Amino acid sequence: MRGQRSAISRREALILLCLISHPWLLHDHLEEVAALEMAHPEAHKLRAGIIAAFANDHHHSPEPDEQAEKMRRTSKRADYLNILQRVSG
């Protein structure tokens, strides 16, 4: 029998995909996102990476599409590609 942490939940996957596609949401909701309980360790790791990427640069872009593209590139470079594929798959 698989444990609760064997797969990223739909809830966690949806939250992470929304943050990657719409990083501007973190501008107003960073504290709430940081406080969300994530059951899966990889979801927790990806959320931390998204927050770090946002804090480093992504909120400075004037265009939402540019912010999302920068977030995707940074996440892939930071070796989150495997997690991203599972989340979006």
Side-chain angles (χ1 to χ4, degrees):
M1 184 169 154
R2 293 182 151 180
Q4 176 182 355
R5 295 184 176 206
S6 62
I8 295 175
S9 72
R10 289 182 186 161
R11 171 192 169 270
E12 291 174 353
L14 181 58
I15 290 168
L16 295 169
L17 286 172
C18 286
L19 293 175
I20 290 168
S21 297
H22 308 288
W24 54 267
L25 290 169
L26 290 168
H27 192 343
D28 293 331
H29 303 286
L30 182 61
E31 290 180 18
E32 292 96 333
V33 170
L36 288 173
E37 186 175 327
M38 297 274 178
H40 198 280
E42 289 183 333
H44 181 76
K45 181 179 178 181
L46 182 53
R47 178 191 52 192
I50 290 169
I51 290 171
F54 175 78
N56 286 328
D57 181 57
H58 299 289
H59 64 290
H60 297 291
S61 298
E63 295 294 323
D65 290 340
E66 185 180 334
Q67 292 175 8
E69 183 56 35
K70 285 173 127 181
M71 182 66 76
R72 286 186 200 96
R73 282 194 314 264
T74 300
S75 297
K76 289 177 183 178
R77 269 195 310 265
D79 200 27
Y80 295 128
L81 180 59
N82 206 13
I83 298 171
L84 284 171
Q85 289 173 337
R86 279 184 292 205
V87 168
S88 59

